Structures are given as C-alpha cells and as structure tokens.
C-alpha cells in the first residue's frame, strides 16, 4: 500500500490520505479507517486514480456525503474515492441539466427551484450528493431521481461511459450502479413551473422535514426500506422498539425508522440494533425488513 500511496501522491493533483477515519465522512459519525482516501481534483485526476488503483489491483468504493452509509469499525481495506470536487452545474433554458456527482443535492435543488424548474423540489432536505442520489434513486415528497435522470456518465479505468436511464434500471432506493463503479455526472430533464409555486413547495418540504426529523443526534435517515403496503417505522413501533438502545445507539424516539448515534456509538452498536430490530419485527409480524442503508467495511 505504501508504494501505491506514494505514486498516487506524485501523480494526482487532489488529496490523498492514509488511514483516514471514515467516521469523518459519514453522517452517523462512525466507521473505522480506510487504507487510502482519495479526493481527485477533477474528472481527469479521477481517471488517473482509477488507472493506478486498477494496475495495483487495489479495490475501491466511491462515496458521496456518507448519508446512507454504515462503515464497520474495522474500516475499509483498499481505497475510498470521494469525488466531492466534481461540482459542475449547467442549467439549460429548456430544462436540461448537467450536474457533477459531487454537488450536494440541496445546491442543485435550490438552483433549479430558483430557475423555475420542477421535478426535484420534493427532495428538499436530503443531505446527500448527486452521485449518491443517482445510485440510491433518492426520493421524497412523491418525487424520485429516476423520474428526471436521462443518463449518467460512469467513469472507469477504460474511460467514461454514458449509461441511459434504461441501463441505470432504477428501482425503489436502488439502481444498477454497483460498488466500485463511479458516477461522475448526470443529465436531468426538468419541467418549467411557476417559480413562486416551486419556492412554496420547497419551503413546505423543508419545514415538514425539520419537524419530523429532529431526532437528537447523528443519523443516516431511514434505516429500512418500507416493505410493500406498510411503513417500516410502524412495524418497528408495533414491535415495541421505539427508543430501544444498544450501546451508544438508539432507535429515535421521534421516528422509529431512524437510529441515532446518541452517546459515542460505534458501528457495532448500530449493527446490533439493526439485527435486533430485524429479528423482533420478523418474530412479531412475519415481515423481513431490508436495509435501505448500505453497509460496508470490515468488523474490528
Ligand atoms: C437526515 C437524513 C434524511 C434523509 N432523507 C432521505 C429521503 O427523504 N429520501 C432518500 O431517498 N434518502 C434520504 N436519506 C438518505 C441519503 O441522504 C440518500 O440516500 C442520499 O441519496 C445518499 O447520498 P450520499 O451522497 O450521501 O451517498 P453515500 O451515503 O455516500 O453513498 C450511498 C451509496 O451510493 C454509492 N455512491 C455514492 N456516490 C457515488 C458515486 N459518485 N458513484 C458511485 N457510487 C456512489 C456509495 O458507494 C453507496 O453505496 C436521508 C439521510 C439523512 C441523514
């Protein structure tokens, strides 16, 4: 890993770190160190990083804001790519948008709402990036990215590749983009709408979120997907688990599909709570809950 680290430092213009704690890059504020943490300066830099990692047979994982990510306490063997500087934003008059994966979703939403373009205002308040949003098909308020994404540019050691929305194969909080692939950019199609109405919808969503999601500590939003026809939070509630505690992790009192890092939790605490919820909900209601959050890395 030493030789690769030195080569990356020599050839990249961006930031390269060793043994970087992932707790600094996840909204849960937990996660052990990654061997290498790479923040490319731009798309070209990212392509160089991918080439060097591929040649060295070093596995990698791409992350955005870490707002849907649980990194285990042993951390990540290999590299984490953080394309946070890919922030291009071009908004065309006809509603076409080209946007870099590292741009915060909220920056994109504010900009498109201000231009009177509809299609994203329901997602106001989601703390992720455009890249993470595409991969997860982020959604809220009756909208999801799948409704507006036309294509995405995936970057690889062989160069960029355009993936159509058909190939992206969006589903509920999922897409065909797998671990190790890198979304560099997305092209969206939004529709013109009265800017005043859009601004009201945006503020309404932000207010509703502030009320429902003030949960009292670092979290990663909804932990479980909603099974068909029922809300995960209701099943967790009915299983008597609202407020349940494992170490420093707690099922939020305010929203039982959220787990909060209350008192210096580690990933192990959160994982134990997730297992307990799944077991108890399955025992009491027969439903197998599936996680919405992505779990990566190694146990300590
Ligand atoms: C308070 C709170 C509220 C939330 N509310 C919602 C909500 O209403 N609706 C909703 O859908 N989600 C919600 N989320 C979850 C989360 O914000 C979304 O899933 C978001 O889209 C994740 O984006 P991210 O950049 O943080 O991705 P990360 O968490 O960093 O990564 C998520 C996945 O995407 C992959 N990934 C990230 N970027 C790239 C890239 N450029 N290329 C390839 N792969 C990549 C990662 O490997 C990982 O598998 C909430 C989270 C929080 C903390």
């Amino acid at each position: 890993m030493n030789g690769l680290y030195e080569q990356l430092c020599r050839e990249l213009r961006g930031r390269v770190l060793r043994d970087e704690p992932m707790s600094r890059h996840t909204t849960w504020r937990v996660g052990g160190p990654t061997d290498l943490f790479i923040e490319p300066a731009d798309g070209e830099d990212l392509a160089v990083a991918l080439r060097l990692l591929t040649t060295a047979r070093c596995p990698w994982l791409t992350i955005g804001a870490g707002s849907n990510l649980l990194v285990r306490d042993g951390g990540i063997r290999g590299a984490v790519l953080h394309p946070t500087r890919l922030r291009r934003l071009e908004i065309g008059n006809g509603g076409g948008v080209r946007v870099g994966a590292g741009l915060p979703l909220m920056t994109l939403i504010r900009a498109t709402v201000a231009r009177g373009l509809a299609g994203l205002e329901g997602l106001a308040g989601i703390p992720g990036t455009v890249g993470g949003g595409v991969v997860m098909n982020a959604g809220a308020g009756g909208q999801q990215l799948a409704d507006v994404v036309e294509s995405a540019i995936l970057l690889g050691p062989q160069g960029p590749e355009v993936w159509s929305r058909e190939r992206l194969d969006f589903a509920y909080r999922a897409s065909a983009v797998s671990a190790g692939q890198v979304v560099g950019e997305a092209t969206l199609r939004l529709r013109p709408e009265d800017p005043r109405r859009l601004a009201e919808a945006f503020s309404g969503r932000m207010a509703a979120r502030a009320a429902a999601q003030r949960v009292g500590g670092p979290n990663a939003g909804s932990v479980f997907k909603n099974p068909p026809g029922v809300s995960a939070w209701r099943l967790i509630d009915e299983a008597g688990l609202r407020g349940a505690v494992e170490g420093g992790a707690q099922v939020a009192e305010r929203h039982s599909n959220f787990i909060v890092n209350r008192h210096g939790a580690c990933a192990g605490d959160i994982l134990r709570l997730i297992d307990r919820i799944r077991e108890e909900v399955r025992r009491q209601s027969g439903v197998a809950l599936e996680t919405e959050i992505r779990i990566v890395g190694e146990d300590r």
Side-chain angles (χ1 to χ4, degrees):
M1 212 45 89
N2 277 353
L4 177 58
Y5 169 71
E6 278 148 20
Q7 202 178 8
L8 287 160
C9 289
R10 254 194 329 269
E11 296 200 27
L12 298 187
R13 285 168 286 119
R15 210 157 67 117
V16 185
L17 304 171
R18 242 187 319 202
D19 299 326
E20 172 70 357
M22 288 304 294
S23 52
R24 293 185 183 154
H25 304 280
T26 59
T27 56
W28 247 323
R29 300 281 170 253
V30 302
T34 176
D35 293 335
L36 295 168
F37 185 85
I38 304 171
E39 230 166 59
D42 51 27
E44 236 172 78
D45 221 26
L46 181 47
V48 175
L50 290 174
R51 182 173 49 75
L52 294 177
L53 293 173
T54 306
T55 307
R57 293 175 190 275
C58 176
W60 68 78
L61 167 78
T62 316
I63 67 159
S67 64
N68 209 45
L69 208 56
L70 180 57
V71 181
R72 292 190 180 91
D73 296 314
I76 295 174
R77 301 293 69 76
V80 166
L81 285 172
H82 190 219
T84 183
R85 301 196 210 171
L86 271 55
R87 293 193 174 203
R88 127 192 240 160
L89 176 58
E90 287 170 23
I91 304 179
N93 288 333
V97 176
R98 221 176 140 172
V99 58
L103 195 79
L105 262 179
M106 275 299 283
T107 308
L108 172 66
I109 298 169
R110 281 186 206 282
T112 51
V113 164
R115 289 283 291 269
L117 292 172
L120 292 171
E121 64 284 359
L123 280 66
I126 297 182
T129 60
V130 168
V134 170
V135 172
M136 295 304 305
N137 183 19
Q143 295 176 337
Q144 55 180 356
L145 274 173
D147 301 334
V148 296
V149 170
E150 284 193 331
S151 64
I153 296 181
L154 270 79
L155 307 173
Q158 262 72 18
E161 214 185 328
V162 178
W163 280 33
S164 65
R165 54 175 289 119
E166 288 71 33
R167 185 157 178 205
L168 288 164
D169 196 20
F170 290 114
Y172 170 45
R173 299 297 169 267
S175 69
V177 181
S178 58
Q181 289 181 306
V182 186
V183 174
E185 218 174 272
T187 305
L188 319 178
R189 173 67 51 189
L190 305 179
R191 50 173 211 288
E193 169 79 81
D194 173 21
R196 233 189 350 209
R197 201 205 63 75
L198 276 179
E200 273 168 23
F202 175 88
S203 314
R205 291 293 307 161
M206 290 299 283
R209 232 173 231 281
Q213 296 184 358
R214 210 177 296 117
V215 292
N219 66 84
S222 294
V223 174
F224 298 99
K225 293 184 181 179
N226 290 321
V230 56
S231 299
W233 73 261
R234 190 178 293 283
L235 294 172
I236 297 167
D237 235 25
E238 286 168 3
L241 291 166
R242 186 179 285 256
V245 171
E246 287 288 338
Q250 182 175 27
V251 175
E253 294 281 3
R254 200 168 191 135
H255 191 322
S256 44
N257 197 13
F258 278 40
I259 292 179
V260 179
N261 178 352
R262 286 296 300 272
H263 306 290
C266 60
D269 296 338
I270 296 172
L271 283 164
R272 276 202 311 284
L273 199 45
I274 288 175
D275 283 347
R276 187 169 144 201
I277 292 168
R278 289 174 102 152
E279 270 169 38
E280 202 55 31
V281 167
R282 191 200 286 268
R283 199 177 62 77
Q284 294 200 31
S285 64
V287 177
L289 285 177
E290 195 187 322
T291 52
E292 176 175 325
I293 52 138
R294 303 280 176 102
I295 303 171
V296 297
E298 300 186 351
D299 287 323
R300 190 152 40 200

